[in-house]
Each structure stands twice: as C-alpha cells, then as structure tokens.
Amino acid sequence: MRDATEGGVVSRRLSRTQRRRQLLDTALLIVREEGVDRLTLGHLAARAGVSKPVAYDHFGTRSGLLIELYKSVDIEQVNALRSALTTGERSLEETVEVLAATYIHCSVDTSGERHALGAALTGSEEKGAVYQELLDGYVVLFAAVLKPHSTLSPAELERRCVGLVGAGEALSAAMVRGSCSEAEAAEAFASLIQGAVRAPVG
C-alpha cells in the first residue's frame, strides 16, 4: 500500500473495509459530539476528510448510514452480552444478575448514542423494520439464556422476553436521561427478569 502526499500531508490509501470503518467511527463521533440530527452524508464526508461521493458510495442515503451505524453499535452490545453469558455455568440468580447488569452497562459504554440512533431509526418503515429486527435478536438471546432456568413453554417465555427487552430499553433510556443510576436500573431490571421467568402459581 503506497503513501500519497497531498499538500504536504502524508495520507495512506485505505481499503474499502478500512474506509467504511473510519466513516462509521467518524459518524459515531458526530452523534456523540453534535447530536444525531447533525449526521448527514455531507457532514460526515467533511469530518472524515473525504469527498461526498465516497460517503454516498458507502451508504447511499442518510437512512442507510443510520442503519449501518446502529448495527455497528448494536453488534458491540450483543457481543458483550454473549461474552458475559457464555462463560461457565450459573444459577438463575447469577444469570439474571449478569444479564441485567451487562445489558444496562452497554448503554453507559455508548453514552446514549445507541438510544439516539434507535429513536432516529423509528422515523420510517424501512428504518423501523431494521430496528425491530435488532430488538428481536435480543428477544432470542434472552430466551436462550433464560430457558434452562424456566418451566414456561417456549412460546410464553419468548412473549415475556419481548416485554423484558422493552423494559431493558426503557430503563437504559431512563438511566441515560439521569432519572436513575446504573446500579438502580440494573437492580430494577434484574427484579423484572426474575419475575418473568417464573411460571404462574395455580
């Protein structure tokens, strides 16, 4: 890979994959520093130091950029959850504690960008469908993790996990807004998970 000198500045030509990663990293910085409304392909190109056609070539539209950025942030959260939940055997109480704490903590790590992007994704049918698909992935993950500790039918457990994921999103958003601390959000979420996996008595 050759270095090219432009205007006295040495810049390395990036592969397509590297350029895409650079653009997504820059897009996340824009959301963090300026807000999601400022994230346009033109502004992204300017902040990343590339021409507008380069940004359009990678994402096509602003909606495409928002979707890819949310997926990128979401993958990091899913990986963190899987990593935390697939190491060793745990009791129900331990599983619930790790699940709740890790899910809530991921929102701390993203400093609220994930929720801002999620809100932006609900603005159209296309973006809303992608957002729902990602949430459905959490439902599947929750159900798989909680199944060994529950006597509920698979269908009932999945329905309850739909509610749990919604609750986790709401608690994370409340924490990001400052309505509660991370510890309080995680404790409340753990209580909800504990109650959800129990079969009704009688």
Side-chain angles (χ1 to χ4, degrees):
M1 194 176 295
R2 298 177 60 186
D3 289 344
T5 304
E6 299 178 3
V9 177
V10 177
S11 61
R12 188 165 59 91
R13 187 179 296 277
L14 301 178
S15 69
R16 184 172 179 82
T17 299
Q18 290 171 326
R19 178 65 71 194
R20 188 181 186 83
R21 184 69 261 167
Q22 181 221 7
L23 290 171
L24 288 172
D25 289 344
T26 303
L28 188 58
L29 277 177
I30 292 172
V31 173
R32 183 173 296 161
E33 296 172 359
E34 305 178 53
V36 71
D37 289 342
R38 286 283 290 151
L39 183 58
T40 65
L41 288 169
H43 188 46
L44 171 61
R47 283 285 302 260
V50 300
S51 64
K52 282 185 181 181
V54 171
Y56 278 90
D57 178 52
H58 278 273
F59 305 108
T61 63
R62 181 175 186 268
S63 292
L65 171 60
L66 286 169
I67 287 169
E68 290 306 312
L69 182 57
Y70 188 88
K71 284 182 177 179
S72 176
V73 173
D74 187 75
I75 285 171
E76 292 183 14
Q77 177 159 344
V78 170
N79 287 341
L81 272 170
R82 284 194 177 130
S83 176
L85 293 165
T86 56
T87 52
E89 295 184 6
R90 295 185 176 87
S91 65
L92 171 60
E93 290 72 20
E94 291 169 332
T95 299
V96 168
E97 183 179 342
V98 171
L99 180 58
T102 305
Y103 193 93
I104 297 297
H105 186 68
C106 285
S107 293
V108 177
D109 286 347
T110 60
S111 304
E113 294 91 356
R114 183 174 172 274
H115 287 282
L117 288 166
L121 283 174
T122 60
S124 75
E125 184 175 344
E126 175 198 12
K127 290 181 285 187
V130 172
Y131 182 53
Q132 187 58 54
E133 179 184 342
L134 295 172
L135 290 181
D136 289 345
Y138 284 109
V139 171
V140 172
L141 179 58
F142 272 50
V145 169
L146 295 173
K147 183 179 179 181
H149 306 287
S150 176
T151 58
L152 296 167
S153 70
E156 178 60 24
L157 179 60
E158 182 175 332
R159 283 191 290 271
R160 295 190 184 196
C161 287
V162 170
L164 288 175
V165 170
E169 289 293 294
L171 284 166
S172 296
M175 180 198 62
V176 169
R177 292 194 305 269
S179 300
C180 61
S181 68
E182 179 183 352
E184 290 169 336
E187 183 178 356
F189 196 25
S191 296
L192 291 172
I193 298 171
Q194 279 270 20
V197 297
R198 295 194 179 97
V201 177

